[in-house]
Amino acid sequence: MSGDYARRISPRALPIGMAAVVGVLYAVGSLLGWGGRPFIAWTEAGAAGAAAVSLLLSSRRPDGVPADASVPGGIWRASWRWYGIAAASWFVGAMGGALSDGSGRSALSLSVPDLFYLFALVALVTGLVVPIRLPRDAGTWLRYVADTYVCACALFVLGWVALFGSLYHRSGESPSEFLLELLYPLIDIVFVCGALPFVLGAARGHRRLAWMGYGALAAIAAADVVTTFVRLDGGGPGDDPSDILRLAGLLLLLLVPWTGPAAGPGLPVDDIPEDVAARAEECGRMIGPGIAPAAVAAAAALFIAGHSITGSNGLEPGVSIAAGSAALVLIARLAGLLRENDALRRAVNTGEEHFRALSESINDAVLICDLDATVRYASAGALRTYHYTPDELLGRPLNEIVHPEDLPRVQQVFTEFLDEQSGDVGPQDALRVSCRVRAADGTWLPTESTISRYSGSDGAPSRLLVTTRDLSEQAALQRQVAHLTFHDGLTGLPNRSYFEERTREVLSRQHAGGTVAVVFVDLDGFTAVNDSDGHAAGDQVLAQAARRLRANVQSDDTVARWGGDEFAVLVQLPPDDPETRATVELAGRLLRVLSVDPYQVGDKHIVLTASVGIAFAGDEEQPHVAGSDAGRRLRRTAADLMRNGDLAMARAKELGGGRVEVYAPHMHADVVRRLELGSDLQAALAEEQFSVDFQPVVDLATSRVTGVEALLRWRRGNEMVPPEEFIGPAEESGLMTPLGEWMLREACREVARWRGDSWDVGLSVNFTARQIAAPRFVESVAAALAETGLPPQALTLEVREEVLVEDAGQNVERLSELRDLGVRLAIDDFGTGYASLAYLGQLPVDIIKIDPSFVAGLGSDETLTLLTRTIVRLGSDLGLTVVAEGIERPEQLELLREMGCPRGQGFLVARPMEARRVESLVRTNLAERDRPGDVPLPLPG
């Protein structure tokens, strides 16, 4: 049979098929009357041959794998191989008996087939011994021989008294001759008794294998006893029913491969998974049959005593010798067991002393309890940790000191542990449970306990060993780490991580119809506090702001420090009051408490305002998530809600601060557009998509163009992007600094060319606070003047009032340096910012430009007209040049002339225009100036 074909035959199907064939043949032969010794011998030969083929094929080794015991499956494969050799030897003996037509097996007529029968028994026992790790000490082997002898003698006595004693008296044979007649049964009894310790000690993976082999051995032994009895009783081969026992034993061997370890149905034996093979490789150990020899001996003694009383014949001398010698050996074994018991007791006492010393030296609490959890022993560590006296703890049930909330869970796992210990399947070695335990002072301490079975020096197994560790320090450290992880160290408020997690949690269990909102708060002007008074002062302001916020929200609301000078509040409204008005009122209240009262920093009072943004759950766009990933959708929803609140706060800050803004979807669209513009600005700067337009500034008395204001323009393809849309993104992205430098050079170059043509015009350029704060700002302006040849006195830098007030130190210092070079300074949009009229004289400025909102009210608003007149007069008194912006109507022009405002600009005068159109306008202006009569005003460009 080839290897490939053998692999296609399942080793588990082979024995079943052969057993079925043998059984069918035997049944058919019995029905057809194929009786007689030859038929029985051929049947045995067939069964033995089938068993040999099945076992030897199943024990084959994978191709390329060495015959090594370390190879997975080597142990049980070797056991199968010896079983196969036993079956093959029996097959040879049965074939010889069938060919010779022997009448029966007898030691007096020992033949060659009988030798094969004996070798089959030896091979079968060897198959039982192979999976066992044999002991190496002589004492174990002496105990083994003694137990085997006692067991064999007891069985011999039982057999003699029950069966063979009467036959001996009728046979007339001498004792030696009759003993030879009993040679086969005696050999079988010795093998059966000697193999029992190896079967009892078989490893878990080999137990069925061992018991089936042992069953085959016992069946063959019983068959030999029956055959011997029938032959000595004068019966013929046809009267011998023992062939059924031999056939049963051979069928057990035939079915042995079915009991071996395998990966599953249909897998070859060689393809067993490694983990299954590893478990099957566990070697057994030889263990004593325990009380089996004594039980057999006691049964024999009782049987002999009963037979001697009721029987007609007395005890034979051989029986007395066997029984007496077995009793002496049994007494010697009992003496050895007593000595071993004393040694074990001394070892247990020593271990008990070591256990007590160890339990007293460790800090863990060690308790010994009954099965009902009543304390019988408590170590010094238990008394130290929980501050109990021995009288308070001993004899007390543990459930009295376990926290009531933890007690049901502890009792459940404790009961399951005891049930598993009392059962037969899979008991736990130890139980680990965490609970809170009450100390003597009434405090609850977190603990972790390990519970296991305990047997003391008295050998009583009905005790439990409980080792308990106090986790108070570990729990405190975990709480501290958790607090530091999720709280802000400065304000004590929850931090951003906690707020995000809390928002997701609230949204996940949001009541139907309820409202969840976030309120974001930012302190306006806080950066100036850090820069002017130091970060310590800023920390005090933040701590005071946190206390004000916490004191003005509900207990269910969550206040957190979002980062920097930003705070966030999570608001939950119940389902019966889902009005958003309550949240808006809360935001207004928070705005007032942060803005009305000044912050106390040492002996200094700091007044700040706040920008507040509100967003409600449901305003955010629902994410498009594939499938039903609720967790990802929840995280996205929470992130969108917090983003919307931040956007609303940013919008409030953009609108000047000190106000509350509610999120609207267009805010997100604006942010996206600003981000897109920011990414396009870099490419536009590289591709020179920017240009400079100029708006003329005229002398209102003479209509002469005295200067131009440079304005940045962006033409993106065929689209003109409004300045109010890209100036902000450019400022935020940091591109305003290089854009400003480029515009300054281009404008200076154009005006310098005009001045080279004898046109006495000046140039005004707007600068933001970030541009002024940029490194080398003064150097870049000076470099542009030097590069283009524009005189410094022809350049005017326009800044808003807050640039000079918010960071007066650095900004004023840099502008003063430029002013020392001859550059003039103008305050743009004067009257709407921070600078008061009284403070005006302290600023290093040359020009003030009246905000267009004042000019727009001339002639229609008396207050604005009065304020404009006051500004014009004050500028004249201070020696400053006043420029009115936003002149759009003739009556505004007339009023400004009447007030004595020297200069102006606006759409009535001229619109912003390209450089070539400015040149045309200036030439027209110069020509009109030379004509007699009224001085005309230039037409709008």
Side-chain angles (χ1 to χ4, degrees):
M1 179 180 295
S2 66
D4 293 339
Y5 180 74
R7 282 185 180 276
R8 290 196 296 270
I9 301 177
S10 174
R12 294 196 173 219
L14 184 63
I16 298 298
M18 290 187 171
V21 171
V22 172
V24 169
L25 290 177
Y26 187 79
V28 171
S30 299
L31 293 175
L32 297 179
W34 297 347
R37 185 65 188 170
F39 171 73
I40 295 174
W42 284 110
T43 304
E44 283 188 18
V53 172
S54 173
L55 288 165
L56 292 176
L57 280 179
S58 300
S59 65
R60 73 190 188 282
R61 190 172 62 252
D63 297 336
V65 178
D68 189 356
S70 62
V71 177
I75 291 179
W76 55 264
R77 191 177 287 115
S79 183
W80 286 6
R81 190 176 299 114
W82 278 107
Y83 286 173
I85 293 173
S89 180
W90 193 277
F91 169 74
V92 174
M95 288 290 293
L99 294 175
S100 63
D101 194 19
S103 59
R105 296 175 59 198
S106 172
L108 298 177
S109 58
L110 190 65
S111 61
V112 174
D114 292 332
L115 296 178
F116 284 97
Y117 287 134
L118 291 175
F119 183 76
L121 294 177
V122 174
L124 187 58
V125 174
T126 304
L128 295 174
V129 176
V130 165
I132 303 300
R133 183 182 292 106
L134 299 179
R136 297 182 180 181
D137 57 304
T140 302
W141 286 109
L142 288 176
R143 290 192 294 271
Y144 164 73
V145 172
D147 290 341
T148 303
Y149 178 75
V150 170
C151 185
C153 288
L155 291 177
F156 169 75
V157 170
L158 283 173
W160 181 269
V161 175
L163 300 176
F164 297 107
S166 59
L167 296 178
Y168 169 69
H169 290 289
R170 295 201 306 265
S171 66
E173 297 180 356
S174 64
S176 58
E177 292 176 343
F178 196 79
L179 183 63
L180 286 176
E181 294 282 358
L182 300 180
L183 181 62
Y184 276 110
L186 291 177
I187 293 175
D188 292 337
I189 289 174
V190 172
F191 280 160
V192 168
C193 293
L196 184 58
F198 302 99
V199 176
L200 293 175
R204 181 171 299 180
H206 307 129
R207 288 176 184 174
R208 286 186 298 174
L209 169 69
W211 280 109
M212 291 192 71
Y214 190 74
L217 178 64
I220 293 172
D224 286 343
V225 172
V226 172
T227 298
T228 303
F229 178 78
V230 171
R231 179 170 49 79
L232 292 177
D233 197 31
D239 300 327
D240 187 2
S242 61
D243 296 301
I244 298 178
L245 294 174
R246 293 191 183 91
L247 186 61
L250 292 173
L251 289 178
L252 282 176
L253 290 180
L254 182 61
L255 296 176
V256 161
W258 182 258
T259 68
L267 280 182
V269 176
D270 298 337
D271 298 332
I272 298 174
E274 293 185 1
D275 57 341
V276 177
R279 290 196 302 270
E281 285 308 293
E282 180 184 358
C283 291
R285 59 188 181 91
M286 187 182 73
I287 62 176
I291 63 173
V296 175
L302 291 175
F303 190 81
I304 292 170
H307 190 274
S308 63
I309 294 174
T310 60
S312 59
N313 299 321
L315 296 178
E316 299 295 336
V319 174
S320 302
I321 293 173
S325 61
L328 291 176
V329 173
L330 189 60
I331 291 173
R333 283 288 288 120
L334 291 176
L337 290 175
L338 290 175
R339 286 196 302 270
E340 292 180 3
N341 187 48
D342 291 337
L344 291 175
R345 184 176 296 276
R346 288 193 299 270
V348 169
N349 291 333
T350 303
E352 183 76 12
E353 295 175 359
H354 291 167
F355 164 76
R356 300 278 177 165
L358 178 62
S359 65
E360 296 297 329
S361 62
I362 62 177
N363 292 325
D364 291 351
V366 180
L367 306 175
I368 297 178
C369 306
D370 294 334
L371 293 183
D372 60 356
T374 301
V375 179
R376 297 303 178 191
Y377 165 78
S379 66
L383 302 177
R384 286 193 306 267
T385 302
Y386 303 103
H387 308 292
Y388 286 107
T389 62
D391 295 337
E392 293 175 333
L393 203 55
L394 297 180
R396 184 176 186 179
L398 285 179
N399 56 12
E400 294 184 1
I401 61 175
V402 176
H403 197 283
E405 296 179 359
D406 300 336
L407 186 58
R409 176 176 53 84
V410 173
Q411 288 178 335
Q412 179 182 356
V413 297
F414 188 78
T415 303
E416 294 175 355
F417 173 74
L418 292 181
D419 292 341
E420 290 181 358
Q421 291 293 323
S422 60
D424 297 331
V425 181
Q428 298 184 37
D429 295 335
L431 170 67
R432 193 178 300 273
V433 60
S434 299
C435 63
R436 288 165 289 180
V437 174
R438 184 175 60 197
D441 58 1
T443 58
W444 294 102
L445 305 179
T447 64
E448 183 182 58
S449 300
T450 302
I451 304 175
S452 58
R453 286 280 189 174
Y454 173 78
S455 297
S457 58
D458 56 355
S462 57
R463 296 283 180 88
L464 295 175
L465 177 64
V466 182
T467 305
T468 303
R469 174 167 298 179
D470 182 14
L471 302 179
S472 299
E473 295 183 359
Q474 180 179 348
L477 180 60
Q478 289 177 347
R479 288 193 299 269
Q480 182 180 2
V481 171
H483 186 274
L484 293 176
T485 303
F486 293 105
H487 286 76
D488 176 56
L490 174 63
T491 62
L493 295 177
N495 59 12
R496 181 172 182 169
S497 299
Y498 180 90
F499 188 83
E500 292 174 345
E501 184 64 30
R502 176 65 175 165
T503 302
R504 287 192 290 268
E505 176 187 353
V506 171
L507 288 175
S508 65
R509 53 183 177 83
Q510 182 180 357
H511 299 290
T515 300
V516 176
V518 292
V519 179
F520 275 71
V521 180
D522 181 86
L523 298 178
D524 300 328
F526 178 77
T527 304
V529 177
N530 279 337
D531 294 341
S532 60
D533 298 317
H535 288 275
D539 292 344
Q540 295 184 45
V541 170
L542 291 175
Q544 295 177 43
R547 288 194 294 270
R548 296 182 188 183
L549 291 172
R550 182 67 266 180
N552 286 273
V553 299
Q554 300 293 329
S555 59
D556 294 339
D557 298 338
T558 302
V559 181
R561 185 183 179 192
W562 188 254
D565 60 336
E566 295 183 20
F567 299 88
V569 182
L570 180 63
V571 182
Q572 304 177 62
L573 295 178
D576 55 353
D577 185 22
E579 296 293 333
T580 60
R581 177 171 49 83
T583 305
V584 176
E585 291 176 354
L586 171 63
R589 186 166 63 252
L590 297 180
L591 176 62
R592 288 192 297 274
V593 299
L594 292 176
S595 305
V596 173
D597 295 331
Y599 297 88
Q600 183 72 33
V601 178
D603 56 354
K604 186 175 181 180
H605 293 80
I606 298 177
V607 178
L608 297 176
T609 59
S611 299
V612 182
I614 306 172
F616 295 94
D619 292 342
E620 65 276 356
E621 299 177 3
Q622 293 299 323
H624 301 286
V625 180
S628 57
D629 192 349
R632 194 179 347 159
R633 181 181 292 107
L634 177 62
R635 288 192 296 270
R636 176 66 182 274
T637 302
D640 289 346
L641 177 61
M642 291 179 282
R643 179 206 65 192
N644 295 342
D646 200 20
L647 285 174
M649 181 197 68
R651 177 56 58 91
K653 203 169 187 66
E654 289 177 0
L655 297 177
R659 58 188 295 150
V660 177
E661 284 289 325
V662 180
Y663 171 79
H666 69 81
M667 294 182 181
H668 185 220
D670 291 345
V671 172
V672 172
R673 177 174 174 80
R674 289 165 71 93
L675 291 175
E676 293 175 350
L677 286 174
S679 62
D680 293 343
L681 281 170
Q682 187 75 41
L685 182 60
E687 297 173 3
E688 298 182 355
Q689 297 179 5
F690 292 98
S691 62
V692 180
D693 282 359
F694 300 92
Q695 185 174 23
V697 178
V698 301
D699 187 325
L700 295 183
T702 63
S703 298
R704 184 177 64 86
V705 177
T706 60
V708 290
E709 180 180 355
L711 303 173
L712 186 63
R713 294 291 183 264
W714 180 15
R715 291 179 176 85
R716 185 168 55 178
N718 297 326
E719 176 190 6
M720 177 66 73
V721 183
E724 59 270 15
E725 291 188 8
F726 73 84
I727 293 297
E731 186 81 8
E732 294 172 0
S733 62
L735 287 176
M736 198 61 213
T737 298
L739 270 175
E741 293 177 358
W742 175 85
M743 185 182 72
L744 178 62
R745 289 194 303 271
E746 293 296 318
C748 288
R749 183 178 294 107
E750 196 66 44
V751 174
R753 184 173 61 83
W754 294 340
R755 292 179 66 89
D757 293 339
S758 300
W759 297 349
D760 187 14
V761 292
L763 172 65
S764 298
V765 181
N766 278 281
F767 284 90
T768 64
R770 183 171 297 183
Q771 290 177 275
I772 298 173
R776 300 184 57 81
F777 169 71
V778 177
E779 291 80 356
S780 64
V781 175
L785 294 174
E787 178 184 341
T788 59
L790 183 68
Q793 61 272 14
L795 176 62
T796 301
L797 300 184
E798 296 186 8
V799 296
R800 296 177 64 87
E801 298 172 55
E802 58 267 23
V803 175
L804 300 175
V805 176
E806 284 186 353
D807 192 7
Q810 183 182 25
N811 290 344
V812 172
E813 180 181 354
R814 292 189 172 187
L815 293 174
S816 297
E817 293 181 20
L818 290 174
R819 199 162 180 262
D820 293 340
L821 294 177
V823 177
R824 296 194 296 174
L825 180 62
I827 297 180
D828 195 19
D829 297 335
F830 183 81
T832 60
Y834 297 89
S836 65
L837 296 178
Y839 191 53
L840 188 59
Q842 304 176 19
L843 298 176
V845 296
D846 303 285
I847 301 170
I848 55 176
K849 303 184 72 172
I850 303 175
D851 187 81
S853 61
F854 288 83
V855 177
L858 292 179
S860 58
D861 190 321
E862 295 182 359
T863 301
L864 292 178
T865 303
L866 178 60
L867 286 175
T868 305
R869 189 181 302 276
T870 303
I871 295 173
V872 172
R873 184 181 301 113
L874 180 61
S876 176
D877 295 340
L878 294 176
L880 304 177
T881 302
V882 179
V883 179
E885 295 185 286
I887 303 175
E888 298 181 355
R889 300 193 306 273
E891 59 270 21
Q892 296 171 349
L893 177 61
E894 294 301 326
L895 283 173
L896 289 171
R897 284 176 172 175
E898 185 269 329
M899 293 176 186
C901 182
R903 294 181 184 177
Q905 67 181 105
F907 286 176
L908 182 64
V909 178
R911 293 177 179 272
M913 59 190 70
E914 298 177 357
R916 57 183 178 82
R917 297 185 61 190
V918 174
E919 295 178 7
S920 176
L921 179 62
V922 171
R923 291 193 183 96
T924 303
N925 181 256
L926 292 177
E928 294 291 341
R929 184 188 60 182
D930 297 334
R931 295 178 182 177
D934 295 334
V935 179
L937 191 71
L939 295 174

